Amino acid sequence: MVRIFKKNFGVTLLALPGFLLILLFNYVPLYGLLLPFKNYKYNLGIWNSPWVGLDNFGFLFNGNVLYRVLRNTLLYNMVFIVLGTFLSIVIALLLFELSRRFVKVYQTILFIPYFISWVVAGFAFRALFDMEHGVINSLLISVGKEPILWYSEPQYWPYILVAAAVWKGLGYGSVIYYAALMGIDAEYYDAAKIDGASKLRQAFSISIPMIKPMITMLVILQIGSICYSDFGLFYNVTLNSSLIYETTDVIDTFVYRSLIDMGDIGMASAAGFFQSIVGFCLVLLTNTIVRRINPENSLF
């Protein structure tokens, strides 16, 4: 072991910062897994705070609120995964057919929303949906329609939130799939052209099958975080309006409000632990299903 270490000392030294980073931010915080099972007291610290068993989890599973936030979290994330993956692949295929001179321009345009903070996006959406001065309500009034109380009527927000999430993540996903398409051997397409295959046939017979492992891997990873929501999306874009919680409240916003109102760190930690366990089980389940269908596309 010592001989191997000395032989690879240079490579080990290069990997040391990354190793320390992973150790500091991924393994040291595992000590905090005690919090979901304790009644945390600031003056006692984590270790000396009294044990409460599963009491912190009882807060999550009592009442109808859990059903609402769990339903919203799962349904929104399933739509984000399906619609986001589909549109990202379509955009990537379209970019793949463009001249290389224009691809970077379109990639940049698509990628810009990914770097916009949800705080900034929240103000932009408010400019659209504000009751008195919003652009959409102004257009409705101009054509003789009644203005809509967007931040008071929950039925519109599933469509708004899905559109906002797709708008922000479309560029990132399409770039990943476009990079995968660029790695496909051009000889496949040359042979398809000789056989008279159309662009659509090439996409279905060559492009999509060749990037299927990438699609599978990304979908599995997204399913692993299906119990987590983009807090900025559901908090800032909706302006945290209590009148539309029926369709906008998710686990992350619910836990945040509970933590702010009650200051219960143990409860918040229990919610995070619950999300992690569910995500871990979903990754294992999804990977098992994929491995049985096609072992080459599974993660492990």
Side-chain angles (χ1 to χ4, degrees), residues 1-9 12:
M1 182 65 69
V2 175
R3 183 175 60 83
I4 296 175
F5 178 77
K6 288 182 177 180
K7 181 180 179 181
N8 299 284
F9 178 75
T12 305

Side-chain angles (χ1 to χ4, degrees), residues 188-202:
Y188 291 111
Y189 296 101
D190 293 336
K193 290 177 183 177
I194 294 173
D195 291 337
S198 64
K199 292 291 185 182
L200 188 61
R201 174 52 58 191
Q202 292 178 36

Side-chain angles (χ1 to χ4, degrees), residues 76-95:
Y76 275 122
N77 281 329
M78 287 194 315
V79 173
F80 294 163
I81 292 172
V82 174
L83 189 60
T85 301
F86 172 75
L87 292 178
S88 295
I89 294 172
V90 171
I91 295 298
L93 290 171
L94 293 175
L95 290 174

Side-chain angles (χ1 to χ4, degrees), residues 39-225:
N39 181 17
Y40 180 72
K41 303 293 184 182
Y42 290 96
N43 59 328
L44 297 177
I46 296 178
W47 186 254
N48 293 321
S49 295
W51 292 91
V52 294
L54 300 176
D55 290 352
N56 288 324
F57 295 89
F59 178 85
L60 289 173
F61 294 99
N62 287 332
N64 296 324
V65 178
L66 178 66
Y67 168 75
R68 182 186 70 191
V69 298
L70 192 58
R71 177 201 64 194
N72 290 342
T73 303
L74 294 177
L75 290 179
Y76 275 122
N77 281 329
M78 287 194 315
V79 173
F80 294 163
I81 292 172
V82 174
L83 189 60
T85 301
F86 172 75
L87 292 178
S88 295
I89 294 172
V90 171
I91 295 298
L93 290 171
L94 293 175
L95 290 174
F96 189 63
E97 298 300 329
L98 291 175
S99 171
R100 299 296 178 262
R101 292 185 300 173
F102 300 105
V103 166
K104 290 186 178 180
V105 176
Y106 288 109
Q107 279 183 326
T108 303
I109 294 173
L110 290 169
F111 217 102
I112 287 175
Y114 181 76
F115 294 103
I116 297 177
S117 168
W118 278 123
V119 177
V120 177
F123 284 103
F125 277 94
R126 184 173 183 177
L128 289 174
F129 301 117
D130 186 74
M131 172 59 189
E132 297 181 358
H133 308 291
V135 174
I136 296 181
N137 276 345
S138 298
L139 292 174
L140 291 175
I141 294 172
S142 67
V143 296
K145 301 290 185 179
E146 289 293 326
I148 298 174
L149 299 173
W150 295 101
Y151 293 99
S152 301
E153 302 185 19
Q155 67 268 26
Y156 300 108
W157 283 95
Y159 307 101
I160 296 172
L161 291 173
V162 169
V166 171
W167 164 76
K168 198 171 192 298
L170 185 60
Y172 180 81
S174 62
V175 167
I176 292 177
Y177 292 123
Y178 176 75
L181 289 171
M182 291 295 292
I184 300 175
D185 194 336
E187 292 183 358
Y188 291 111
Y189 296 101
D190 293 336
K193 290 177 183 177
I194 294 173
D195 291 337
S198 64
K199 292 291 185 182
L200 188 61
R201 174 52 58 191
Q202 292 178 36
F204 281 104
S205 299
I206 301 174
S207 300
I208 294 178
M210 294 297 287
I211 65 171
K212 190 181 292 184
M214 174 67 73
I215 297 172
T216 305
M217 181 185 70
L218 292 179
V219 169
I220 291 175
L221 293 176
Q222 288 176 312
I223 290 175
S225 58

Side-chain angles (χ1 to χ4, degrees), residues 261-277:
D261 295 339
M262 302 173 58
D264 192 338
I265 293 179
M267 180 277 301
S269 302
F273 186 70
F274 170 75
Q275 289 175 298
S276 300
I277 292 297

